[in-house]
Amino acid sequence: MKRALAIVALFATLSVMIGCKPKEESPTIEFQDKISTVLSGSSVEVTVNLDKPAPAALAIPVEFTSDAVKGVDYSVSAEVFNFALGTTSSSITITDNGMKGNTAITIKLLAAEGVKIGTNFTAVVTKDAEEALIYSFNATKAELIESSKITLTITGQKSGAKFMAAEDLVIPFTLEGDAADFIESDAENFVIKKGGNSASVTFKPSENVAEAPGESVLVKIDNSGNDKLIPGDNAYVRFKVHSELQTPSKLLGTWTFSEIYDYEVIYLFADEDGYDADTFPLENEGFTLTFTEDEETGAIKVTPSGDGAFNWFFRESTITMSEAMSIGADGEQLGKYTSEEANLYMFDAGVDPEVFTHYSLDPANRSFDATKETLGKATIAIALSEDGTSFNLLFKDYDLPPFLDVEDASIWYDGDIENFDSDLLGFGCRFEKAE
């Protein structure tokens, strides 16, 4: 009996304890910042915080007061601050659509079930007359083998491409990556001159680049001290850093012709244009190029052999570095001797642009004629594969060849027979290293 009475007493005590448990207080909500600034044509986030996690999903309504018209002069991403269970922060985005410079927007928290309104229950958004500036590089990837000029362009959030700097605009950059200490630049900042909207900095490998522990360097804008700078489409440039230039000595050995890219398309193009396609230098099965070094002078010699139409051009000659020339329409000059490109037919065959080094042959048969010889210097470009087992070759200049009609040469010579068009006449081809 005593045991039963004790159990009853225990339940009674628990009931009193449960019934007397104090009600948990609602969280308090306040604005994080009393004043925020929106740049002309830009947006700003207005944030509120709870002093403890939301006990349930909450929706806190707000009131907007301004001389500007909501939905016309400015827009808002939401009319309430939404909290998910357990969260402590929520934001609404305010976007300027053309407010006057002295316009202010007052945002007031309204009473809602489940929260208490704190002392910072209003916030003001003012407009900064200056617009946000969007920066973008001219590329996201670049080869750094000799030098590379990188251009930064600024557009205005409102003025767009018409943006002009009111004064010199100094924009610092940072270099990130294992090889960052092994490249140099001709300036420490991008400096956009008054009245302009772009600036360039030239980067190049340092003398000790061969010691670089990695090949990748990231060029980024340091906008930590300027909240008006906003990244655009190309927010960074990633350099592939080459430790050394591809000199003629890299080509030593014998290389066997493998293919002309898009052979069938070139043949049909020539045939349909009324040329004798069989006179084009397309058949080169068994043709080889051998590169040797003269023990006395150190000069690199190239010797053609075997069958093939390329015998119409190549002669035993000395090969040296040459200034880059006749770069394809979609190509880019990387330095004095190098370009990044792939000619028209290589593109069609799915070959990505590569780094070509340009070489002078002295001599070559500039007439590119099986029956006529006109000896002189000529230029080719070679892109050696990373594993050193093959290379792609482009012809870069020679005289008007006999397989073209002089009257129609403008089709192939880009409107001027003095302006060699390697996109059409480069005969992009591949050679394989002989065993």
Side-chain angles (χ1 to χ4, degrees):
M1 183 66 179
K2 289 181 179 180
R3 184 179 180 184
L5 290 173
I7 292 174
V8 170
L10 176 61
F11 274 111
T13 302
L14 289 172
S15 298
V16 171
M17 291 175 65
I18 294 171
C20 295
K21 184 178 180 180
K23 185 178 180 181
E24 189 173 337
E25 290 189 4
S26 298
T28 299
I29 186 171
E30 292 185 323
F31 281 100
Q32 179 172 290
D33 300 304
K34 292 285 289 180
I35 300 177
S36 301
T37 301
V38 61
L39 296 172
S40 179
S42 188
S43 301
V44 66
E45 281 193 348
V46 177
T47 301
V48 291
N49 297 317
L50 298 176
D51 64 350
K52 63 182 68 175
L58 302 174
I60 316 302
V62 291
E63 178 182 77
F64 298 91
T65 305
S66 177
D67 292 337
V69 179
K70 181 160 61 73
V72 178
D73 299 318
Y74 71 96
S75 57
V76 299
S77 62
E79 301 280 345
V80 297
F81 287 103
N82 288 304
F83 290 87
L85 172 64
T87 59
T88 59
S89 180
S90 179
S91 298
I92 289 176
T93 301
I94 311 293
T95 301
D96 169 51
N97 295 334
M99 295 188 299
K100 294 180 179 179
N102 58 354
T103 301
I105 304 168
T106 301
I107 309 170
K108 180 180 179 182
L109 294 171
L110 301 180
E113 185 177 353
V115 297
K116 293 193 303 182
I117 305 298
T119 54
N120 291 336
F121 60 89
T122 62
V124 176
V125 175
T126 61
K127 176 173 178 174
D128 187 331
E130 292 188 34
E131 63 181 333
L133 305 179
I134 302 170
Y135 64 85
S136 186
F137 289 106
N138 59 322
T140 57
K141 295 189 298 183
E143 304 282 346
L144 189 57
I145 185 168
E146 291 184 88
S147 65
S148 183
K149 179 186 286 187
I150 299 300
T151 300
L152 183 76
T153 299
I154 298 292
T155 58
Q157 187 96 18
K158 290 285 288 183
S159 58
K162 296 180 180 179
F163 168 80
M164 292 188 298
E167 57 186 3
D168 287 358
L169 185 60
V170 178
I171 303 176
F173 62 85
T174 61
L175 301 176
E176 300 177 5
D178 291 339
D181 293 334
F182 299 89
I183 66 172
E184 302 171 349
S185 61
D186 64 351
E188 296 182 356
N189 306 287
F190 287 93
V191 180
I192 296 177
K193 295 296 185 181
K194 179 180 179 180
N197 68 350
S198 65
S200 298
V201 172
T202 298
F203 298 86
K204 65 178 183 179
S206 63
E207 291 184 358
N208 60 341
V209 69
E211 303 172 15
E215 292 187 340
S216 181
V217 172
L218 203 64
V219 182
K220 298 174 66 176
I221 291 303
D222 179 6
N223 60 350
S224 57
N226 190 342
D227 58 5
K228 292 181 174 64
L229 284 173
I230 300 173
D233 293 337
N234 297 343
Y236 63 86
V237 178
R238 186 178 297 279
F239 277 127
K240 181 179 180 181
V241 182
H242 296 259
S243 60
E244 56 185 343
L245 194 62
Q246 178 190 293
T247 57
S249 61
K250 302 292 183 183
L251 305 174
L252 293 176
T254 297
W255 305 79
T256 302
F257 172 84
S258 177
E259 66 174 312
I260 284 184
Y261 292 106
D262 241 7
Y263 169 98
E264 294 83 1
V265 173
I266 300 175
Y267 192 95
L268 289 174
F269 183 33
D271 191 54
E272 290 176 359
D273 276 14
Y275 295 103
D276 182 357
D278 290 330
T279 65
F280 279 60
L282 305 180
E283 303 298 335
N284 290 282
E285 194 68 29
F287 179 81
T288 66
L289 291 172
T290 300
F291 298 83
T292 56
E293 182 175 3
D294 188 295
E295 294 182 359
E296 293 184 3
T297 66
I300 306 298
K301 301 282 188 178
V302 58
T303 303
S305 62
D307 299 325
F310 285 170
N311 278 307
W312 306 346
F313 173 84
F314 285 98
R315 296 291 181 267
E316 182 174 351
S317 59
T318 300
I319 180 170
T320 55
M321 307 289 285
S322 170
E323 291 192 15
M325 65 181 302
S326 302
I327 298 170
D330 294 322
E332 178 184 2
Q333 185 163 346
L334 301 179
K336 182 178 181 180
Y337 306 111
T338 54
S339 63
E340 185 178 26
E341 59 182 311
N343 85 334
L344 175 66
Y345 301 110
M346 294 171 72
F347 270 119
D348 286 346
V351 178
D352 293 329
E354 300 176 289
V355 176
F356 281 87
T357 304
H358 295 235
Y359 299 102
S360 175
L361 301 176
D362 187 13
N365 184 19
R366 290 194 56 84
S367 67
F368 217 131
D369 190 344
T371 61
K372 176 185 175 182
E373 188 170 70
T374 305
L375 295 180
K377 289 185 179 181
T379 301
I380 59 172
I382 292 177
L384 185 63
S385 65
E386 290 189 5
D387 61 8
T389 62
S390 67
F391 64 67
N392 286 329
L393 183 148
L394 287 170
F395 294 89
K396 285 297 182 178
D397 75 315
Y398 47 82
D399 298 335
L400 184 65
F403 46 83
L404 293 187
D405 186 327
V406 175
E407 294 182 0
D408 294 333
S410 60
I411 299 174
W412 300 81
Y413 268 68
D414 200 22
D416 180 353
I417 63 172
E418 298 300 325
N419 183 14
F420 184 85
D421 186 351
S422 65
D423 269 335
L424 292 170
L425 290 169
F427 295 111
C429 56
R430 183 164 62 94
F431 282 76
E432 302 283 349
K433 187 74 173 283
E435 296 294 336

